[in-house]
Amino acid sequence: TFVGHDGSSHRILSSTGVQQGDVWGPTLFCAAIHPILDAVLGDSALSREVLALCFSDNMQLLGVASWALRAADMLREALLDVGLRFNPRDSKVYIPALAGQSDGGAAAWAVIQAVHPDTPLALSREGLTIVGAPIGSASYREEVLRERLDRIITDLPKLAKVQDGLIHFQLVRSCLAMRFHYFLRCQGPCHTKSIATELDAVILKELSAYLTLPWLNATQGQLPMVEEETSPELLQLHDALIQLRMPVRDGGGGLTSVADV
């Protein structure tokens, strides 16, 4: 259903395939393409040389470049028969050995493309992203994680408009921090420590502003020492931090340090 410029409502009946948002869509898609993948990648020669990792319409072919590119070309032809095409934006090849060549592998890649001219593949010199996780050089992984962090920094001010404190915190925790945990788990701690520390600081700064507790940001989330002469502000911060760190099942916020995780 869509609404026209004049405010009138129009309904379009779906005549082919499943409707957008139908929970059966991914299952039916996988069931339809599995025989095609099995027929191509099950070839005795290919199966010994190429490892295929498939998740719905996301496919990765791992192996010696000549064999993997041959498999990609065969898949392109087989999928074309049922009306499916490679998405050029996501069809990339990463060959680490080419990165060390003086021309960045441009000459070698030109020869490879001449062998498979109809397969829309682009050479990625630094790495590629598999199911959201960056694989490649250290600078490439840093770039991808930095991009994710910048998105979170952009989204955080939007959540400040949520007046309900509990809902606000759950959104911060579930939509932002937890979303980033996935990317951090896919990399070694030595590559993610600095980014994770930055994320901790960003979230603490947002919570400090939202809760009007400047000391939360100033202490970097560390529990302040409580003594007889402790100010009411620090006592308030101490109690707030304990509440935030308690598990969700116990009525707390479940706040944990991303860097520590």
Side-chain angles (χ1 to χ4, degrees):
T1 302
F2 72 94
V3 179
H5 292 294
D6 58 355
S8 59
S9 179
H10 304 270
R11 189 176 184 183
I12 301 177
L13 298 178
S14 176
S15 58
T16 303
V18 296
Q19 294 185 9
Q20 180 70 25
D22 192 321
V23 294
W24 273 99
T27 301
L28 294 175
F29 176 84
C30 292
I33 69 168
H34 184 268
I36 299 174
L37 299 178
D38 190 49
V40 174
L41 301 174
D43 175 87
S44 58
L46 279 180
S47 63
R48 290 194 301 268
E49 302 292 341
V50 179
L51 174 63
L53 306 176
C54 305
F55 178 78
S56 188
D57 62 346
N58 193 302
M59 306 176 193
Q60 286 79 43
L61 302 175
L62 310 179
V64 176
S66 58
W67 281 100
L69 291 168
R70 177 186 173 188
D73 205 41
M74 294 173 64
L75 276 175
R76 177 191 59 80
E77 293 181 352
L79 292 173
L80 192 60
D81 290 338
V82 294
L84 296 176
R85 295 174 175 81
F86 284 1
N87 184 347
R89 183 176 64 87
D90 295 326
S91 301
K92 298 181 180 180
V93 176
Y94 176 51
I95 307 177
L98 297 184
Q101 299 184 5
S102 59
D103 62 349
W109 180 242
V111 174
I112 292 172
Q113 284 187 305
V115 178
H116 305 285
D118 298 323
T119 302
L121 299 173
L123 179 64
S124 177
R125 291 179 172 80
E126 292 293 325
L128 45 80
T129 302
I130 299 178
V131 196
I135 305 295
S137 66
S139 60
Y140 178 77
R141 294 194 299 267
E142 170 81 14
E143 177 185 348
V144 173
L145 291 175
R146 177 70 56 185
E147 179 184 346
R148 298 286 191 269
L149 179 60
D150 289 342
R151 290 182 187 178
I152 290 177
I153 294 174
T154 301
D155 290 342
L156 274 173
K158 303 173 184 177
L159 298 183
K161 299 178 181 179
V162 179
Q163 296 183 355
D164 187 296
L166 182 59
I167 295 178
H168 171 270
F169 185 78
Q170 291 302 324
L171 286 172
V172 171
R173 181 177 178 274
S174 301
C175 299
L176 300 181
M178 294 303 292
R179 185 178 69 182
F180 203 67
H181 283 185
Y182 164 76
F183 302 109
L184 297 180
R185 286 199 301 269
C186 296
Q187 308 294 319
C190 60
H191 302 300
T192 61
K193 186 72 173 181
S194 61
I195 293 273
T197 302
E198 288 185 50
L199 178 59
D200 280 340
V202 167
I203 292 178
L204 284 174
K205 182 178 180 180
E206 165 63 21
L207 290 176
S208 175
Y210 186 85
L211 300 173
T212 62
L213 291 173
W215 279 99
L216 178 60
N217 186 45
T219 61
Q220 292 296 300
Q222 300 300 316
L223 283 173
M225 295 295 294
V226 175
E227 301 173 351
E228 286 189 19
E229 60 275 11
T230 300
S231 66
E233 292 79 10
L234 280 182
L235 286 174
Q236 182 186 21
L237 172 63
H238 183 273
D239 293 342
L241 281 174
I242 291 178
Q243 181 73 18
L244 287 173
R245 291 182 174 184
M246 287 175 59
V248 176
R249 64 177 180 274
D250 296 332
L255 178 66
T256 55
S257 167
V258 180
D260 291 343
V261 172

